[in-house]
């Protein structure tokens, strides 16, 4: 990483910092990651790091913004051209699981920020991400209800919450097993159970 880290343009240095933090978060508690550890991994000085970020909080904010931008864009691409809301929900589910399996540091960072007692910059980004994610789910579920693919009496808010909670459950199981790569294998079976639950009439 030394060759990549030295004499990089500002945007590339910032991107490399995000990449480094996520790599470190994949194997340790994010709150224990220091700017010294980030700089050491990048083979730069802390001073060089702070030329691009005003503080550690600013680094965490940049990481969460990267996650939000990449995840939402990937989900939007996954549903392009899909007319069936149920099929679109499945595409979102599988894509999200694949994203987490590829970036195991992401859920550790997100869970860590959401547990912060105070409102940090990064925590606000995570909340915004979850809100935008939820809005996408709400639109698909309502479309499914209006088109007859889902029961008209289905509780949209509860169905959206359960969708996100189901993915979080998969993530927690993978974290406990210390094997994030197991998630894609379980995802189709888990989504099948979720699907049966929301298509069943109350």
């Amino acid at each position: 990483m030394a060759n990549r880290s030295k004499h990089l343009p500002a945007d590339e240095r910032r991107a490399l910092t995000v990449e480094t933090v996520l790599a470190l978060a994949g194997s340790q508690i994010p709150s224990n990651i220091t700017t010294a550890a980030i700089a050491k991994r990048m083979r730069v000085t802390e001073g060089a790091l702070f030329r691009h970020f005003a503080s550690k909080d600013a680094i965490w904010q940049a990481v969460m913004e990267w996650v939000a931008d990449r995840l939402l864009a990937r989900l939007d691409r996954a549903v392009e051209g899909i007319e069936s809301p149920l099929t679109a929900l499945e595409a979102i589910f599988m894509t999200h699981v694949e994203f987490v399996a590829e970036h195991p540091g992401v859920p550790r960072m997100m869970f860590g920020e959401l547990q912060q007692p105070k409102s940090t910059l990064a925590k606000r980004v995570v909340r915004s991400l979850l809100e935008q994610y939820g809005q996408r789910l709400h639109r698909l579920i309502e479309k499914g209800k209006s088109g007859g693919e889902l029961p008209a009496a289905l509780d949209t808010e509860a169905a959206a919450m359960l969708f996100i909670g189901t993915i979080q459950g998969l993530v927690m199981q993978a974290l406990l097993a210390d094997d994030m790569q197991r998630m894609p294998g379980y995802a189709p079976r888990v989504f099948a159970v979720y699907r049966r639950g929301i298509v069943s009439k109350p």
Side-chain angles (χ1 to χ4, degrees), residues 85 89 135-152 154-157:
L89 285 171
Q135 290 166 4
R136 284 163 168 77
L137 297 177
H138 275 244
R139 287 195 295 268
L140 284 173
I141 293 167
E142 284 297 317
K143 182 180 177 182
K145 289 164 64 173
S146 62
E149 220 178 10
L150 294 171
L154 177 66
D155 186 329
T156 298
E157 183 176 9

Side-chain angles (χ1 to χ4, degrees), residues 7 10 21 24 26 53 55 57 68-69 71 76 92 107 114-115 121 126 130 137-138 179-180 189 191 194 197:
H7 312 300
V21 172
L24 289 170
F53 298 94
S55 63
D57 283 346
D69 291 345
L71 178 57
D76 288 342
I92 287 177
L114 289 173
Q115 291 179 67
L121 294 171
V126 174
L130 292 175
L137 297 177
H138 275 244
D179 183 10
M180 300 302 286
R189 294 161 54 191
F191 183 81
Y194 172 80

Side-chain angles (χ1 to χ4, degrees), residues 16-27:
L16 184 57
T17 304
V18 167
E19 175 186 317
T20 301
V21 172
L22 286 174
L24 289 170
S27 59

Side-chain angles (χ1 to χ4, degrees), residues 125-201:
V125 174
V126 174
R127 283 178 170 170
S128 176
L129 165 60
L130 292 175
E131 288 173 6
Q132 293 179 70
Y133 197 130
Q135 290 166 4
R136 284 163 168 77
L137 297 177
H138 275 244
R139 287 195 295 268
L140 284 173
I141 293 167
E142 284 297 317
K143 182 180 177 182
K145 289 164 64 173
S146 62
E149 220 178 10
L150 294 171
L154 177 66
D155 186 329
T156 298
E157 183 176 9
M161 290 175 62
L162 182 60
F163 183 100
I164 295 173
T166 302
I167 293 177
Q168 290 173 337
L170 264 175
V171 171
M172 291 303 298
Q173 290 294 324
L175 286 172
L176 288 170
D178 196 23
D179 183 10
M180 300 302 286
Q181 301 309 310
R182 66 186 286 178
M183 291 179 60
Y186 282 104
R189 294 161 54 191
V190 173
F191 183 81
V193 174
Y194 172 80
R195 177 181 177 131
R196 284 197 295 273
I198 64 171
V199 299
S200 300
K201 292 184 178 180

